[in-house]
Amino acid sequence: MKWRAHVFALATAVSYLGFGAAVPEQSLREAARSSGLLIGTAVRPAPLSEAAYASTLAREFNLLEPEDALKWEGVHPEPQSFDFSQADRVVDFATRHDMKIRGHTLVWHRQNPKWLTEGKYASGELAQILEQHIRAVVGHYRGKIFAWDVVNEAFDELHPGELRSTIWRDQPGIGLAENGNSYIERCFRWAHEADPQALLFYNEAEAEVLNPKSDAIYAMVGDFRQRGVPIDGVGFQMHIADLHADVASISANISRFTALGVQVHITEMDVALPVDPNGSPRPEDLQKQADIYRQIATACLSHPGCTAIQTWGFTDKYSWIGSHSKQRQGAALLFDRDYRAKPAYAALRTALESGRR
Ligand code: G3I
């Protein structure tokens, strides 16, 4: 199977133009060069030892982000011990292939270890634990990770515009819940102290369009910028599950955030499709999916402050969508399970090639 994937990858990378000469087509990272846009993907450490995974990754992307390896349950498994081994594998790969690295994520309400969630810590202790975590993790990657998702998904989808109730905010929280978003501010300040050169992002789900959640984030970021809280960017995840993207609203949202002086990264894009029991999508859906990838890339490219597009994995062989949808959805990424480029790949590359700024 492996040689087939390689032959196919080579075939898709070459096109025949006039005069019978074989001219290699550009990879995504080459296509993105003229615009300066970073083109990235989430990465799992285990398949880095798989030849097709590693070669596709190195060829196509200039930005990587560990998908799970930097979350608390992996990196901080015991109160007094950190385990950077898995994330280090991703960081080493990126360094060897001249790629930038995003860090995900320092503060989240999911994928936290039991010692933390069941530890019944008081606010003061929790603040110390969080500060120590941020300083240790950001410090370990100082000068290597160029951008961090400092806080992820702090706003609630059930109560639009309101902060989510979490261990960090008010269960019991780090002691600042009564002051609105000041627990978030505190995390940005700690991260900045740990690596003053790193770009610090607030990352959010379902806030890519104009809606109450993005309004609340916009107000928070505007306030942070005005008061000199060190925030450099906003990540819009862009998990699309219904084959629909309101591109006008996404574009207007990118516009208003970049006008605040922060960068926008598209951080976790995938476009889930309904799949049959074999995991296969309908051909017509692959084309609709391609259109969405092209439209989102074009919207990002039309704003100079939108500086990265990242997909949440790149091969359908490794994607969170299947297990999280009881295998009803899948096929969300640019390459199929055998690393064959899908229509979405060509559509994204075309958009990147036409992006000049
Ligand atoms: O660590 C265990 C491992 O010990 C066990 O053997 C294995 C068996 O299933 O599970 C492993 O945990 C999995 C974990 O990822 C680490 O691989 C969980 O089952 C799995 O549910 C978990 O899913 C991750 C999910 O976040 C958790 O919420 C996905 O891989 C990851 O893609 C997803 O990523 C999130 C972003 O961080 C934030 N935005 C949304 C996005 C999609 O949900």
Side-chain angles (χ1 to χ4, degrees), residues 4-243:
R4 280 170 125 188
H6 289 308
V7 170
F8 191 92
L10 190 64
T12 55
V14 173
S15 74
Y16 291 90
L17 295 183
F19 316 115
V23 177
E25 283 185 359
Q26 304 192 87
S27 66
L28 296 177
R29 66 187 288 179
E30 288 163 348
R33 198 170 287 148
S34 58
S35 63
L37 190 79
L38 292 169
I39 180 79
T41 186
V43 172
R44 298 181 180 184
L48 284 173
S49 52
E50 200 181 308
Y53 187 93
S55 62
T56 308
L57 190 57
R59 187 183 67 233
E60 299 294 342
F61 300 96
N62 58 19
L63 173 67
L64 298 188
E65 172 168 314
E67 180 172 344
D68 290 301
L70 279 170
K71 294 170 181 170
W72 275 71
E73 67 177 4
V75 90
H76 200 160
E78 304 291 339
Q80 296 309 330
S81 75
F82 290 85
D83 178 357
F84 295 110
S85 58
Q86 295 307 300
D88 280 353
R89 290 181 65 189
V90 178
V91 170
D92 291 346
F93 185 94
T95 308
R96 276 187 277 119
H97 295 93
D98 192 23
M99 298 155 143
K100 293 202 170 211
I101 307 149
R102 293 187 92 264
H104 174 84
T105 172
L106 298 167
V107 184
W108 196 24
H109 58 283
R110 304 189 64 184
Q111 285 179 280
N112 289 320
K114 280 209 170 107
W115 69 260
L116 175 71
T117 54
E118 296 174 8
K120 301 200 182 330
Y121 295 102
S123 290
E125 292 172 308
L126 205 55
Q128 272 186 351
I129 290 169
L130 182 56
E131 177 178 359
Q132 182 207 21
H133 177 88
I134 290 176
R135 290 190 190 279
V137 177
V138 175
H140 180 82
Y141 292 107
R142 187 175 167 134
K144 289 188 177 166
I145 289 193
F146 95 112
W148 276 101
D149 289 338
V150 177
V151 179
N152 186 45
E153 299 171 15
F155 286 88
D156 201 333
E157 37 277 324
L158 299 177
H159 304 99
E162 288 180 26
L163 285 167
R164 187 192 298 277
S165 176
T166 70
I167 186 172
W168 304 121
R169 180 173 163 255
D170 60 356
Q171 293 181 18
I174 63 170
L176 299 159
E178 66 282 5
N179 299 323
N181 55 35
S182 48
Y183 89 93
I184 299 177
E185 171 177 343
R186 190 92 179 267
C187 299
F188 275 83
R189 292 194 186 280
W190 286 328
H192 182 66
E193 283 170 23
D195 185 353
Q197 304 303 319
L199 298 177
L200 303 183
F201 278 68
Y202 175 77
N203 194 51
E204 188 56 89
E206 293 162 13
E208 34 281 308
V209 293
L210 301 169
N211 62 20
K213 200 192 253 191
S214 64
D215 288 348
I217 299 166
Y218 178 74
M220 176 181 80
V221 174
D223 170 53
F224 281 8
R225 295 289 292 177
Q226 207 167 23
R227 292 189 297 108
V229 179
I231 185 168
D232 303 285
V234 173
F236 295 130
Q237 295 185 3
M238 207 68 76
H239 293 289
I240 296 176
D242 56 0
L243 271 177

